[in-house]
Amino acid sequence: KFKTNIQCSSCVAKVTPTLNNEAKIDNWNVDTTNKNKILTIQTNTLDTNQIIDLVKSAGYNAELLAE
């Protein structure tokens, strides 16, 4: 789970192609109603830094949330 600056459905639409085109991501979603805009990604092969880089490549920030 990652804290992001993905604020609204328009922002989600902008990251969708990047995340959907990554074959190593099984499932993902963004809770834009949460104050931290939580991005949840299910993957067995990508590490934290790879996910952060993917989100950055789509123009947004992501930071690992402490459980």
Side-chain angles (χ1 to χ4, degrees), residues 21-67:
N21 288 331
E22 177 50 65
K24 296 176 182 174
I25 293 177
D26 300 320
N27 193 15
W28 66 272
N29 71 342
V30 180
D31 181 359
T32 56
T33 61
N34 185 297
K35 69 180 174 90
N36 289 324
K37 312 302 180 195
I38 305 299
L39 168 65
T40 303
I41 292 189
Q42 295 174 345
T43 180
N44 292 321
T45 52
L46 293 176
D47 67 28
T48 300
N49 289 330
Q50 290 172 308
I51 292 169
I52 290 171
D53 288 344
L54 260 178
V55 175
K56 281 186 180 174
S57 75
Y60 295 92
N61 297 320
E63 136 188 2
L64 187 62
L65 268 183
E67 291 292 328

Side-chain angles (χ1 to χ4, degrees), residues 5-20:
N5 62 340
I6 300 170
Q7 300 290 323
C8 61
S9 59
S10 176
C11 299
V12 171
K14 289 178 186 173
V15 300
T16 294
T18 301
L19 297 178
N20 282 353

